[in-house]
Amino acid sequence: MDIHQESGIRDAAAAIVSAFDKRVPTDPVKTLIEPLGLGAAYKVQREVVAHLSRSGARLTGRKIGLTARSVQSQLGVDQPDYGALLDTMEYADMDEIPWNTLIQPKIEAEVAFVLEHDLDQEGLSMADVIGAVAYALPAIEVVDSRIRDWKISIFDTIADNASSAAYVLGGEPRKIDKLDLRLCGMRIDNAGEPVSTGCGAACLGNPLTALTWLARQMVRLEQPLKAGQIVLSGALGPMVSVTPGEVYEAQVAGLGSVRAVFGK
């Protein structure tokens, strides 16, 4: 990589870090890194996460994004992406999420998997992955783009830590051996009205398929998933824009419900 390529990665990371710190969106960074390929976008992501870690944040797991085929087609890709989850992003059911920590947030309902065993061997099967899951929880992911007006390409969202901001976990762990996660229905309500519906099949056909994809990907990258880590599956239905002062409840069949509360 020559000095100009390194400069593009450095400049993209600086723009996104500034947006994180100031809560002011930046222009797309695609033009800075597109000639270098998607690997460069992940290098920017690592720089951004390293910056957040230097401020005291600790890695708690991973999130999977772009699990809907329609969104993949829109962004011109044929596979999901991933980002880092940090302890500073985690909220419990009904915890208030400060609005001043966000820029232009939306929410998605997902399945959160908590691992009991490391997933660090080559050639992982779905059975290996299922056996490594301690339990699952309903989750709401708060996605937020540091890119102005959500005008993102695949390069922008990967660089921006897969457009992640926060996640809310339900409080009743469930074993997955008796759950049909492919057919589990999902609904998000606001003020008693449904604002998003879907099911597990919207997430790469099955949330466990998404988890298996990520586990294999992280082994290839020599950053395997570890016991105790959380993995967010990807969305079970359409994203929803949110409003300050509102409460959103996600219900996932077999897993229960979880509520995200946004401050004013």
Side-chain angles (χ1 to χ4, degrees), residues 180-200:
D180 186 345
L181 293 177
R182 182 178 69 87
L183 294 179
C184 66
M186 178 281 295
R187 188 174 85 178
I188 300 176
D189 288 344
N190 172 234
E193 296 295 328
V195 293
S196 179
T197 59
C199 68

Side-chain angles (χ1 to χ4, degrees), residues 45 54-55 98 135 163 167 176 203:
Q45 182 188 119
R54 286 192 291 272
S55 301
Y135 55 85
S163 303
Y167 60 98
I176 66 171
C203 179

Side-chain angles (χ1 to χ4, degrees), residues 10-66:
R10 186 169 57 249
D11 290 348
I16 292 173
V17 163
S18 177
F20 261 107
D21 291 346
K22 297 177 181 178
R23 308 297 174 191
V24 175
T26 185
D27 291 331
V29 298
K30 174 183 175 181
T31 56
L32 296 171
I33 54 178
E34 183 177 20
L36 310 178
L38 292 181
Y42 280 112
K43 286 183 179 179
V44 174
Q45 182 188 119
R46 288 194 292 273
E47 290 292 325
V48 171
V49 172
H51 169 79
L52 298 173
S53 298
R54 286 192 291 272
S55 301
R58 175 178 59 85
L59 183 72
T60 55
R62 301 284 176 181
K63 64 152 287 183
I64 310 168
L66 305 183

